[in-house]
Amino acid sequence: MAASSGRSFIGRFGVHIAVLVFVAIWTIPTLGILISSLRDKDQLIVSGWWTALSTSSQTEAGRTDAADKQVEKDGKFLIMGNLFGAGDARTVTAFGTKAQQPTQFEAGAAADLGEGVTLQVNDDGSYVMSSPKAFEITRGQRVYFSASAPPRFTTDNYRTVLFSEGIGRSFINSLTVTIPATIIPILIAAYAAYALAWMRFPGRALLIAVIIGLLVVPLQMSLIPLLKLYNGVGLFFGVPAKTYLGIWLAHTGFGLPFAIYLLRSYIAGLPREIMESARIDGASDFEIFVKIVLPLSFPVLASFAIFQFLWVWNDLLVAMVFLGSGSDQLVLTGKLNALLGSRGGDWEILTTSAFVTIIVPLIVFFSLQRYFVRGLLAGSVKGG
């Protein structure tokens, strides 16, 4: 008895540890993205999010004033100024005049530039360039320096993303695409799943095998043939190529195999006695489906709705192919991708966009999460 209790305790302890590990695996990267989205752009480029609360250091280049700003004092000609702007809290730790040696001199030291010319850069960014004769330079002296800065957090990244021109329209476009593209596959797959689970007809086993085979077909392989087929049918009936109907049908086609497979596994596991009792009472297949199967299948319907909503909401490729990139058609992921620039190097926009796009899926997930695990696990033990 004691040994059984010990094994039970170890089992529960192992489950708790596993849950903590999975929570950490999900939470830590998410926390990193959140912190990065609030960091200053310059600091984000040079250091990771785990250093957000520590002082960061980076090498930059600046230029002194030209000869027109020089003053004469005690027989020497001086050019004075500051490499930083007003209110800049950075501190210079070292400087240099060559790109190969950007930290050749310590802050506060006087660098010999030749012919009696010296340059002193202080830790607050102020500088004094001194010469025994008048300066004749038309451009200032190039100065390289290493500066350390305290951690800086800002909401400018979110202002850039949220108040960018067209972001509201693209948000509405994403909802217009995602909601029907989630509902339509569920409606079709629910009927198909019931038929494959409880109705007997020729070719049923072959049809199930084809659906399972379609699960492994890469989306990218079928994208262009499907687009050509849709454009051909649209041209025959006079329907424009880039429409919401096209992308709804595309997402429906890509989502149906998994939807039918998931729903059939669940519906096939429903008690046979309920179906037989309903048939004895004279209920038709349609009545059984509507009054019995659908209410009992809500957990699996919610599970698939989460999967489909997340996939369609985060989609960019299918939206660009079937809907286009016009300002009145661009979905949220496409608009945020455009904000990244041609090279995609704006990390502050990337991390902020991740949190902007995750808000709606999180609302959907937490609204339906109590059905999520039930829907995935139910029907996994027995099937029809």
Side-chain angles (χ1 to χ4, degrees):
M1 191 69 176
S4 177
S5 300
R7 286 194 298 270
S8 177
F9 173 77
I10 294 174
R12 289 196 301 270
F13 182 76
V15 171
H16 293 161
I17 293 297
V19 170
L20 288 176
V21 170
F22 284 117
V23 169
I25 291 174
W26 187 89
T27 303
I28 292 176
T30 306
L31 179 63
I33 296 175
L34 175 61
I35 294 174
S36 297
S37 69
L38 294 170
R39 295 186 69 195
D40 179 76
K41 175 182 179 180
D42 296 331
Q43 293 187 348
L44 179 61
I45 293 174
V46 299
S47 62
W49 63 268
W50 53 89
T51 64
L53 297 179
S54 61
T55 300
S56 61
S57 179
Q58 64 184 111
T59 301
E60 301 181 33
R63 194 179 290 275
T64 67
D65 290 328
D68 58 345
K69 298 294 180 66
Q70 65 182 316
V71 295
E72 184 178 3
K73 183 177 181 182
D74 298 332
K76 291 186 176 182
F77 293 88
L78 307 176
I79 297 178
M80 295 178 290
N82 199 302
L83 297 173
F84 299 149
D88 199 318
R90 290 178 295 171
T91 302
V92 174
T93 56
F95 72 98
T97 56
K98 299 178 181 178
Q100 297 81 0
Q101 296 177 301
T103 58
Q104 183 179 3
F105 307 99
E106 295 291 332
D112 186 2
L113 304 184
E115 298 182 357
V117 179
T118 61
L119 173 64
Q120 178 180 341
V121 179
N122 302 312
D123 57 3
D124 61 353
S126 62
Y127 63 84
V128 178
M129 191 160 62
S130 173
S131 174
K133 58 181 181 180
F135 290 100
E136 297 179 357
I137 53 176
T138 56
R139 297 186 65 190
Q141 170 68 41
R142 173 73 74 176
V143 181
Y144 300 92
F145 59 92
S146 176
S148 60
R152 295 197 302 269
F153 296 93
T154 178
T155 57
D156 290 343
N157 301 333
Y158 282 93
R159 276 195 289 269
T160 300
V161 171
L162 293 176
F163 298 103
S164 142
E165 183 179 358
I167 199 73
R169 177 61 187 176
S170 63
F171 182 84
I172 298 300
N173 290 343
S174 285
L175 289 178
T176 305
V177 170
T178 305
I179 294 176
T182 301
I183 296 175
I184 295 174
I186 292 177
L187 294 177
I188 299 175
Y191 285 103
Y194 173 78
L196 293 174
W198 292 102
M199 298 176 68
R200 299 294 182 264
F201 53 88
R204 172 174 171 266
L206 179 61
L207 188 57
I208 294 174
V210 170
I211 292 173
I212 294 175
L214 289 174
L215 290 173
V216 299
V217 177
L219 179 151
Q220 293 81 0
M221 188 176 74
S222 58
L223 194 62
I224 300 304
L226 186 62
L227 178 63
K228 289 183 177 180
L229 176 63
Y230 172 75
N231 287 341
V233 174
L235 183 63
F236 180 80
F237 288 101
V239 178
K242 304 289 187 178
T243 62
Y244 285 112
L245 177 61
I247 194 171
W248 292 341
L249 294 177
H251 281 302
T252 298
F254 292 133
L256 271 180
F258 178 68
I260 296 174
Y261 175 77
L262 183 66
L263 268 63
R264 178 194 172 276
S265 298
Y266 183 93
I267 293 174
L270 295 177
R272 182 180 298 273
E273 294 78 10
I274 298 179
M275 309 296 178
E276 293 176 349
S277 298
R279 286 194 173 92
I280 292 174
D281 291 338
S284 64
D285 282 313
F286 182 77
E287 292 174 330
I288 294 173
F289 174 75
V290 173
K291 298 180 180 180
I292 297 177
V293 174
L294 277 185
L296 293 177
S297 301
F298 188 79
V300 73
L301 295 176
S303 299
F304 175 74
I306 292 175
F307 277 121
Q308 182 73 356
F309 189 94
L310 294 180
W311 184 66
V312 177
W313 180 265
N314 293 319
D315 170 70
L316 175 61
L317 178 60
V318 178
M320 297 294 286
V321 171
F322 283 89
L323 194 58
S325 56
S327 58
D328 58 336
Q329 297 175 315
L330 202 61
V331 294
L332 185 59
T333 50
K335 179 62 180 178
L336 296 176
N337 180 66
L339 289 178
L340 290 176
S342 59
R343 298 184 180 180
D346 297 330
W347 292 100
E348 74 284 358
I349 300 298
L350 183 63
T351 54
T352 306
S353 300
F355 262 86
V356 170
T357 57
I358 205 176
I359 293 174
V360 174
L362 280 179
I363 294 174
V364 173
F365 177 79
F366 285 115
S367 300
L368 302 175
Q369 59 87 24
R370 66 180 181 272
Y371 304 107
F372 187 65
V373 176
R374 288 169 52 194
L376 290 181
L377 296 181
S380 61
V381 177
K382 65 174 183 175

